[in-house]
Amino acid sequence: METITPAILIVDDVADNRRVLARVLRSLDVRILEAESGPEALALAAQEPELCVVLLDVRMPGMDGYEVAERLRRLSNTTTPALIFMSAVESETYQHYKAYELGAVDFLTKPVSPPVVLGKVRVFLELFRQRRRLEALVKQLDTLNRDLADQTRRLQLTTETSHQIASILDIDQLLAAIVELIQRRFGYDCVGIWLADPPPPDAEHLMLYAGRYWTPHIVKTPSFRIPVDAPKSIIVHVWRTGRPYVANNVAADPYYLPHERLADIRAEVSVPLKLGDSVPIGVLDVQTRSGEPFSTGDILTIETLGNQIAVAIRNAKLYAEVTRLNEDLEAQVDKRTQQLQETLQQLELLERDKSDFIAVVSHELRTPLTLIRGFSQMLLEEPDILSNPSWRRQVEGIANGAFRMQAIVDSMLDVAKLDSRTLKLHHQPVDLPELIEAVTHEMETALQKRNLTLQIQSLNELPKIEADPTELRKVFSELISNAIKFTPDGGQITVTGQQLPSQRPDEEPYIEIVVSDTGIGIAPELQELIFSKFYRAGDVWLHSSGRTKFKGGGPGLGLALARGIVQAHGGHIWAESPGHDELKLPGSKFHVVLPVHRP
Ligand code: ADP
């Protein structure tokens, strides 16, 4: 740590005295200086920074020891050495005081005893050495502290810079902002971001995408370029090796590529922009004009910035990609939405056609049907026909067919009324158990024929509701006849009811009736579709085969009509089923929710 040998100065006008002392002190690892007068002693001391002990004779011609001590104290080149006074005469106490006042550490009386001198000087020498060691340590600590402060400042700048870098997602804007930031914050003269073009693995050039070298403004996207096989260029060298490169004296550097407009550049640092072990996407290049070389701290900072820039560029590219994908997606969604809107319009037209068709057909069929029904009834009263079993069967067939047709035409008329919103409801208090009882009564023959059980549960607790009984009857008649139609022989149909609990005290009370069966069930994707007009699952060409035959075909109007009526009452109707399975028979549930009071 410390290499300079400390010095001891002997000041005495008597040469013999000096010689004796010098001999005594020779055993110590010190340089011994001698002076025969005060001025000579001061001159020597002024040039000796490592002076640790002065052995000072008090009585000397011209300048005495006290004055020498006084002046020595004022010398600033050195830490004040330990002063040991020597006096040949029996000294007075006041002389000792005076010596101590002047900074003496000891007072010796001549003739001095060699072991005493040696012992004392050794103590001060050791003290001096320790002080020097301490000073060196303090100096080292100072440097470390300064380095640390410098690192902290750089780290702060790097963190701030990287925060700002990370928040910009447009790549051109990003690169320009990075150049600006690095230059402003770190004070480098020239900064440039060079990207491989086209991107690796097909790179042919390194292109300056954003940089400030010789112009006051930032040169942006893409301008200056260097071929990737250029033999001389620090930027190309760094890109090829994938390692940082420092040229603290560009004039003597083998890779430095001089530029006429950058004649005063002194040092250059380039770091690769890369992610992991992949080929760098480019290089961050920094150059300075000042004579200061790049420190290890500078290089580390530039490397860190390089890594962050690589990540930021990747993010910006990903963002651009995502944005492009989003735009594509939006365009596709727009196109599809437009197609859907067109389809919807077509569907609306079709729906209107359907409604018109129902209205026209049902009206037109009504009169001839009435005639057929009337005449077939009259024929059935004719004795000739009644007495002829064959004729009678045929006329009965006409009458039954006309009756079924009447039911279909009635449904069509109802649907037409619902479509044209001309269905008039005649509200009155309705006793639902009674109404459902009446409906099931009508179905009794069918239930028996098909060996089905129908159970009615907890309907008696239901309050009376305000509704149109004729219309509601159609709803439950439809649901129960469907349950009969889609449940195989021997199955079970259940009708349950409950009053729904209100969520809030001011909420309208509602009741719910559920018609469930143990039939073939309904596929989830059809559970909404079956409520549309003319929808029937299965083969459309199955002819209408009665209201209660297993899987009997129908016109597909029943549920549409039921939903229309329930909604006209301010209620809801929906189907629920685990799925369609003609072997496992998962069954279906139809929920009808109606307000207790007229809405
Ligand atoms: P339809 O008047 O022809 O009976 P609906 O509108 O009443 O027509 O019913 C439409 C379709 O809904 C039926 O063809 C049938 O596929 C299905 N469906 C209705 N009720 C049930 C049920 N309880 N179980 C299984 N499928 C049903």
PDB file of all heavy atoms in Angstrom, residues 478-479 482-483 485-486 517 520-522 530 535-537 553-560 588 590, ligand 1:
ATOM      1  N   GLU A 478    -101.584 -26.670 -25.309  1.00  0.00           N
ATOM      2  CA  GLU A 478    -100.456 -26.904 -26.214  1.00  0.00           C
ATOM      3  C   GLU A 478     -99.337 -27.650 -25.497  1.00  0.00           C
ATOM      4  O   GLU A 478     -98.799 -28.644 -25.988  1.00  0.00           O
ATOM      5  CB  GLU A 478     -99.958 -25.546 -26.730  1.00  0.00           C
ATOM      6  CG  GLU A 478     -98.984 -25.644 -27.882  1.00  0.00           C
ATOM      7  CD  GLU A 478     -99.575 -26.434 -29.037  1.00  0.00           C
ATOM      8  OE1 GLU A 478    -100.743 -26.204 -29.426  1.00  0.00           O
ATOM      9  OE2 GLU A 478     -98.860 -27.320 -29.516  1.00  0.00           O
ATOM     10  N   LEU A 479     -98.970 -27.166 -24.261  1.00  0.00           N
ATOM     11  CA  LEU A 479     -97.841 -27.763 -23.542  1.00  0.00           C
ATOM     12  C   LEU A 479     -98.159 -29.206 -23.153  1.00  0.00           C
ATOM     13  O   LEU A 479     -97.315 -30.091 -23.278  1.00  0.00           O
ATOM     14  CB  LEU A 479     -97.498 -26.938 -22.293  1.00  0.00           C
ATOM     15  CG  LEU A 479     -96.968 -25.522 -22.565  1.00  0.00           C
ATOM     16  CD1 LEU A 479     -96.597 -24.841 -21.244  1.00  0.00           C
ATOM     17  CD2 LEU A 479     -95.752 -25.564 -23.488  1.00  0.00           C
ATOM     18  N   ASN A 482     -98.259 -31.446 -26.261  1.00  0.00           N
ATOM     19  CA  ASN A 482     -96.873 -31.715 -26.688  1.00  0.00           C
ATOM     20  C   ASN A 482     -96.225 -32.768 -25.795  1.00  0.00           C
ATOM     21  O   ASN A 482     -95.529 -33.660 -26.268  1.00  0.00           O
ATOM     22  CB  ASN A 482     -96.026 -30.443 -26.625  1.00  0.00           C
ATOM     23  CG  ASN A 482     -96.108 -29.636 -27.922  1.00  0.00           C
ATOM     24  OD1 ASN A 482     -96.635 -30.127 -28.919  1.00  0.00           O
ATOM     25  ND2 ASN A 482     -95.604 -28.414 -27.890  1.00  0.00           N
ATOM     26  N   ALA A 483     -96.433 -32.617 -24.466  1.00  0.00           N
ATOM     27  CA  ALA A 483     -95.849 -33.582 -23.526  1.00  0.00           C
ATOM     28  C   ALA A 483     -96.368 -34.984 -23.846  1.00  0.00           C
ATOM     29  O   ALA A 483     -95.612 -35.958 -23.807  1.00  0.00           O
ATOM     30  CB  ALA A 483     -96.186 -33.188 -22.093  1.00  0.00           C
ATOM     31  N   LYS A 485     -97.459 -35.966 -26.822  1.00  0.00           N
ATOM     32  CA  LYS A 485     -96.933 -36.356 -28.137  1.00  0.00           C
ATOM     33  C   LYS A 485     -95.484 -36.846 -28.060  1.00  0.00           C
ATOM     34  O   LYS A 485     -95.080 -37.747 -28.772  1.00  0.00           O
ATOM     35  CB  LYS A 485     -96.975 -35.128 -29.071  1.00  0.00           C
ATOM     36  CG  LYS A 485     -98.167 -35.147 -29.988  1.00  0.00           C
ATOM     37  CD  LYS A 485     -97.962 -34.358 -31.260  1.00  0.00           C
ATOM     38  CE  LYS A 485     -97.597 -32.903 -31.066  1.00  0.00           C
ATOM     39  NZ  LYS A 485     -97.829 -32.096 -32.268  1.00  0.00           N
ATOM     40  N   PHE A 486     -94.680 -36.221 -27.180  1.00  0.00           N
ATOM     41  CA  PHE A 486     -93.243 -36.535 -27.191  1.00  0.00           C
ATOM     42  C   PHE A 486     -92.802 -37.413 -26.024  1.00  0.00           C
ATOM     43  O   PHE A 486     -91.627 -37.472 -25.701  1.00  0.00           O
ATOM     44  CB  PHE A 486     -92.413 -35.238 -27.287  1.00  0.00           C
ATOM     45  CG  PHE A 486     -92.691 -34.516 -28.574  1.00  0.00           C
ATOM     46  CD1 PHE A 486     -93.509 -33.386 -28.620  1.00  0.00           C
ATOM     47  CD2 PHE A 486     -92.173 -35.005 -29.765  1.00  0.00           C
ATOM     48  CE1 PHE A 486     -93.784 -32.746 -29.813  1.00  0.00           C
ATOM     49  CE2 PHE A 486     -92.449 -34.371 -30.971  1.00  0.00           C
ATOM     50  CZ  PHE A 486     -93.257 -33.237 -30.996  1.00  0.00           C
ATOM     51  N   ASP A 517     -92.123 -33.731 -18.580  1.00  0.00           N
ATOM     52  CA  ASP A 517     -92.475 -35.071 -19.059  1.00  0.00           C
ATOM     53  C   ASP A 517     -91.258 -35.970 -19.009  1.00  0.00           C
ATOM     54  O   ASP A 517     -90.146 -35.506 -18.755  1.00  0.00           O
ATOM     55  CB  ASP A 517     -93.044 -34.988 -20.486  1.00  0.00           C
ATOM     56  CG  ASP A 517     -92.063 -34.390 -21.463  1.00  0.00           C
ATOM     57  OD1 ASP A 517     -90.905 -34.856 -21.511  1.00  0.00           O
ATOM     58  OD2 ASP A 517     -92.450 -33.439 -22.189  1.00  0.00           O
ATOM     59  N   ILE A 520     -88.766 -37.760 -24.940  1.00  0.00           N
ATOM     60  CA  ILE A 520     -87.521 -37.883 -25.721  1.00  0.00           C
ATOM     61  C   ILE A 520     -86.589 -36.693 -25.541  1.00  0.00           C
ATOM     62  O   ILE A 520     -85.433 -36.752 -25.949  1.00  0.00           O
ATOM     63  CB  ILE A 520     -87.837 -38.079 -27.226  1.00  0.00           C
ATOM     64  CG1 ILE A 520     -88.666 -36.892 -27.755  1.00  0.00           C
ATOM     65  CG2 ILE A 520     -88.573 -39.393 -27.456  1.00  0.00           C
ATOM     66  CD1 ILE A 520     -88.905 -36.940 -29.263  1.00  0.00           C
ATOM     67  N   GLY A 521     -87.066 -35.620 -24.951  1.00  0.00           N
ATOM     68  CA  GLY A 521     -86.197 -34.470 -24.688  1.00  0.00           C
ATOM     69  C   GLY A 521     -85.927 -33.630 -25.919  1.00  0.00           C
ATOM     70  O   GLY A 521     -86.324 -33.980 -27.043  1.00  0.00           O
ATOM     71  N   ILE A 522     -85.240 -32.505 -25.702  1.00  0.00           N
ATOM     72  CA  ILE A 522     -84.969 -31.558 -26.793  1.00  0.00           C
ATOM     73  C   ILE A 522     -83.482 -31.212 -26.764  1.00  0.00           C
ATOM     74  O   ILE A 522     -82.923 -30.908 -25.691  1.00  0.00           O
ATOM     75  CB  ILE A 522     -85.780 -30.250 -26.614  1.00  0.00           C
ATOM     76  CG1 ILE A 522     -87.264 -30.581 -26.390  1.00  0.00           C
ATOM     77  CG2 ILE A 522     -85.614 -29.317 -27.809  1.00  0.00           C
ATOM     78  CD1 ILE A 522     -88.043 -29.471 -25.750  1.00  0.00           C
ATOM     79  N   ILE A 530     -87.511 -23.985 -31.184  1.00  0.00           N
ATOM     80  CA  ILE A 530     -88.852 -24.596 -31.263  1.00  0.00           C
ATOM     81  C   ILE A 530     -89.961 -23.573 -31.031  1.00  0.00           C
ATOM     82  O   ILE A 530     -91.108 -23.845 -31.353  1.00  0.00           O
ATOM     83  CB  ILE A 530     -89.011 -25.764 -30.251  1.00  0.00           C
ATOM     84  CG1 ILE A 530     -88.603 -25.309 -28.856  1.00  0.00           C
ATOM     85  CG2 ILE A 530     -88.202 -26.972 -30.680  1.00  0.00           C
ATOM     86  CD1 ILE A 530     -88.873 -26.365 -27.789  1.00  0.00           C
ATOM     87  N   TYR A 535     -91.655 -24.156 -36.796  1.00  0.00           N
ATOM     88  CA  TYR A 535     -90.505 -25.002 -36.498  1.00  0.00           C
ATOM     89  C   TYR A 535     -90.970 -26.323 -35.910  1.00  0.00           C
ATOM     90  O   TYR A 535     -91.735 -26.366 -34.958  1.00  0.00           O
ATOM     91  CB  TYR A 535     -89.501 -24.339 -35.530  1.00  0.00           C
ATOM     92  CG  TYR A 535     -88.329 -25.271 -35.371  1.00  0.00           C
ATOM     93  CD1 TYR A 535     -87.303 -25.262 -36.296  1.00  0.00           C
ATOM     94  CD2 TYR A 535     -88.327 -26.262 -34.374  1.00  0.00           C
ATOM     95  CE1 TYR A 535     -86.288 -26.196 -36.236  1.00  0.00           C
ATOM     96  CE2 TYR A 535     -87.322 -27.203 -34.304  1.00  0.00           C
ATOM     97  CZ  TYR A 535     -86.308 -27.166 -35.243  1.00  0.00           C
ATOM     98  OH  TYR A 535     -85.324 -28.094 -35.206  1.00  0.00           O
ATOM     99  N   ARG A 536     -90.493 -27.422 -36.502  1.00  0.00           N
ATOM    100  CA  ARG A 536     -90.722 -28.730 -35.900  1.00  0.00           C
ATOM    101  C   ARG A 536     -89.465 -29.535 -36.121  1.00  0.00           C
ATOM    102  O   ARG A 536     -88.888 -29.486 -37.206  1.00  0.00           O
ATOM    103  CB  ARG A 536     -91.867 -29.504 -36.554  1.00  0.00           C
ATOM    104  CG  ARG A 536     -92.885 -28.713 -37.234  1.00  0.00           C
ATOM    105  CD  ARG A 536     -93.107 -28.877 -38.698  1.00  0.00           C
ATOM    106  NE  ARG A 536     -93.127 -30.198 -39.225  1.00  0.00           N
ATOM    107  CZ  ARG A 536     -94.214 -30.790 -39.696  1.00  0.00           C
ATOM    108  NH1 ARG A 536     -95.370 -30.182 -39.679  1.00  0.00           N
ATOM    109  NH2 ARG A 536     -94.145 -31.978 -40.212  1.00  0.00           N
ATOM    110  N   ALA A 537     -89.085 -30.235 -35.066  1.00  0.00           N
ATOM    111  CA  ALA A 537     -87.898 -31.073 -35.205  1.00  0.00           C
ATOM    112  C   ALA A 537     -88.295 -32.284 -36.026  1.00  0.00           C
ATOM    113  O   ALA A 537     -89.473 -32.661 -36.067  1.00  0.00           O
ATOM    114  CB  ALA A 537     -87.412 -31.509 -33.834  1.00  0.00           C
ATOM    115  N   GLY A 553     -96.733 -35.510 -36.125  1.00  0.00           N
ATOM    116  CA  GLY A 553     -96.330 -34.257 -36.771  1.00  0.00           C
ATOM    117  C   GLY A 553     -97.375 -33.185 -36.547  1.00  0.00           C
ATOM    118  O   GLY A 553     -98.554 -33.484 -36.339  1.00  0.00           O
ATOM    119  N   GLY A 554     -96.978 -31.944 -36.579  1.00  0.00           N
ATOM    120  CA  GLY A 554     -97.903 -30.828 -36.434  1.00  0.00           C
ATOM    121  C   GLY A 554     -97.411 -29.694 -37.303  1.00  0.00           C
ATOM    122  O   GLY A 554     -96.351 -29.810 -37.916  1.00  0.00           O
ATOM    123  N   PRO A 555     -98.165 -28.587 -37.361  1.00  0.00           N
ATOM    124  CA  PRO A 555     -97.755 -27.487 -38.238  1.00  0.00           C
ATOM    125  C   PRO A 555     -96.590 -26.669 -37.674  1.00  0.00           C
ATOM    126  O   PRO A 555     -96.049 -25.815 -38.355  1.00  0.00           O
ATOM    127  CB  PRO A 555     -99.010 -26.646 -38.343  1.00  0.00           C
ATOM    128  CG  PRO A 555     -99.763 -26.912 -37.087  1.00  0.00           C
ATOM    129  CD  PRO A 555     -99.433 -28.331 -36.685  1.00  0.00           C
ATOM    130  N   GLY A 556     -96.220 -26.931 -36.407  1.00  0.00           N
ATOM    131  CA  GLY A 556     -95.097 -26.167 -35.829  1.00  0.00           C
ATOM    132  C   GLY A 556     -95.522 -24.773 -35.428  1.00  0.00           C
ATOM    133  O   GLY A 556     -94.733 -23.835 -35.480  1.00  0.00           O
ATOM    134  N   LEU A 557     -96.749 -24.610 -35.002  1.00  0.00           N
ATOM    135  CA  LEU A 557     -97.239 -23.280 -34.608  1.00  0.00           C
ATOM    136  C   LEU A 557     -97.534 -23.193 -33.122  1.00  0.00           C
ATOM    137  O   LEU A 557     -97.594 -22.111 -32.553  1.00  0.00           O
ATOM    138  CB  LEU A 557     -98.522 -22.949 -35.378  1.00  0.00           C
ATOM    139  CG  LEU A 557     -98.346 -22.631 -36.859  1.00  0.00           C
ATOM    140  CD1 LEU A 557     -99.706 -22.455 -37.510  1.00  0.00           C
ATOM    141  CD2 LEU A 557     -97.498 -21.396 -37.046  1.00  0.00           C
ATOM    142  N   GLY A 558     -97.697 -24.371 -32.474  1.00  0.00           N
ATOM    143  CA  GLY A 558     -98.163 -24.420 -31.086  1.00  0.00           C
ATOM    144  C   GLY A 558     -97.314 -23.597 -30.129  1.00  0.00           C
ATOM    145  O   GLY A 558     -97.831 -22.744 -29.399  1.00  0.00           O
ATOM    146  N   LEU A 559     -95.995 -23.834 -30.130  1.00  0.00           N
ATOM    147  CA  LEU A 559     -95.146 -23.130 -29.157  1.00  0.00           C
ATOM    148  C   LEU A 559     -95.003 -21.649 -29.498  1.00  0.00           C
ATOM    149  O   LEU A 559     -94.912 -20.816 -28.597  1.00  0.00           O
ATOM    150  CB  LEU A 559     -93.768 -23.797 -29.070  1.00  0.00           C
ATOM    151  CG  LEU A 559     -93.761 -25.170 -28.387  1.00  0.00           C
ATOM    152  CD1 LEU A 559     -92.365 -25.764 -28.392  1.00  0.00           C
ATOM    153  CD2 LEU A 559     -94.270 -25.061 -26.946  1.00  0.00           C
ATOM    154  N   ALA A 560     -95.028 -21.337 -30.810  1.00  0.00           N
ATOM    155  CA  ALA A 560     -94.948 -19.926 -31.204  1.00  0.00           C
ATOM    156  C   ALA A 560     -96.165 -19.189 -30.643  1.00  0.00           C
ATOM    157  O   ALA A 560     -96.057 -18.094 -30.083  1.00  0.00           O
ATOM    158  CB  ALA A 560     -94.906 -19.813 -32.720  1.00  0.00           C
ATOM    159  N   SER A 588     -88.393 -33.343 -20.819  1.00  0.00           N
ATOM    160  CA  SER A 588     -88.326 -31.885 -21.023  1.00  0.00           C
ATOM    161  C   SER A 588     -89.143 -31.204 -19.954  1.00  0.00           C
ATOM    162  O   SER A 588     -90.043 -31.809 -19.363  1.00  0.00           O
ATOM    163  CB  SER A 588     -88.933 -31.499 -22.373  1.00  0.00           C
ATOM    164  OG  SER A 588     -88.426 -32.295 -23.397  1.00  0.00           O
ATOM    165  N   PHE A 590     -91.192 -27.417 -19.451  1.00  0.00           N
ATOM    166  CA  PHE A 590     -91.581 -26.114 -20.002  1.00  0.00           C
ATOM    167  C   PHE A 590     -92.007 -25.218 -18.848  1.00  0.00           C
ATOM    168  O   PHE A 590     -92.899 -25.566 -18.084  1.00  0.00           O
ATOM    169  CB  PHE A 590     -92.697 -26.280 -21.044  1.00  0.00           C
ATOM    170  CG  PHE A 590     -92.165 -26.774 -22.356  1.00  0.00           C
ATOM    171  CD1 PHE A 590     -91.901 -28.124 -22.560  1.00  0.00           C
ATOM    172  CD2 PHE A 590     -91.889 -25.885 -23.391  1.00  0.00           C
ATOM    173  CE1 PHE A 590     -91.371 -28.587 -23.766  1.00  0.00           C
ATOM    174  CE2 PHE A 590     -91.376 -26.326 -24.595  1.00  0.00           C
ATOM    175  CZ  PHE A 590     -91.104 -27.683 -24.782  1.00  0.00           C
TER     176      PHE A 590
HETATM  177  P1  ADP B   1     -96.474 -28.515 -33.298  1.00  0.00           P
HETATM  178  O1  ADP B   1     -97.582 -27.518 -33.324  1.00  0.00           O
HETATM  179  O2  ADP B   1     -96.115 -29.062 -34.606  1.00  0.00           O
HETATM  180  O3  ADP B   1     -96.584 -29.505 -32.209  1.00  0.00           O
HETATM  181  P2  ADP B   1     -94.833 -27.016 -31.600  1.00  0.00           P
HETATM  182  O4  ADP B   1     -94.524 -25.584 -31.845  1.00  0.00           O
HETATM  183  O5  ADP B   1     -95.801 -27.312 -30.530  1.00  0.00           O
HETATM  184  O6  ADP B   1     -95.211 -27.674 -32.950  1.00  0.00           O
HETATM  185  O7  ADP B   1     -93.490 -27.761 -31.244  1.00  0.00           O
HETATM  186  C1  ADP B   1     -92.376 -27.553 -32.058  1.00  0.00           C
HETATM  187  C2  ADP B   1     -91.408 -28.682 -31.884  1.00  0.00           C
HETATM  188  O8  ADP B   1     -90.906 -28.654 -30.547  1.00  0.00           O
HETATM  189  C3  ADP B   1     -91.992 -30.054 -32.009  1.00  0.00           C
HETATM  190  O9  ADP B   1     -91.996 -30.461 -33.374  1.00  0.00           O
HETATM  191  C4  ADP B   1     -91.041 -30.890 -31.180  1.00  0.00           C
HETATM  192  O10 ADP B   1     -89.933 -31.278 -31.971  1.00  0.00           O
HETATM  193  C5  ADP B   1     -90.578 -29.957 -30.101  1.00  0.00           C
HETATM  194  N1  ADP B   1     -91.271 -30.207 -28.825  1.00  0.00           N
HETATM  195  C6  ADP B   1     -92.301 -29.501 -28.318  1.00  0.00           C
HETATM  196  N2  ADP B   1     -92.642 -29.975 -27.092  1.00  0.00           N
HETATM  197  C7  ADP B   1     -91.813 -31.025 -26.811  1.00  0.00           C
HETATM  198  C8  ADP B   1     -91.677 -31.947 -25.721  1.00  0.00           C
HETATM  199  N3  ADP B   1     -92.473 -31.879 -24.653  1.00  0.00           N
HETATM  200  N4  ADP B   1     -90.704 -32.887 -25.803  1.00  0.00           N
HETATM  201  C9  ADP B   1     -89.917 -32.956 -26.882  1.00  0.00           C
HETATM  202  N5  ADP B   1     -89.999 -32.123 -27.940  1.00  0.00           N
HETATM  203  C10 ADP B   1     -90.933 -31.155 -27.924  1.00  0.00           C
END
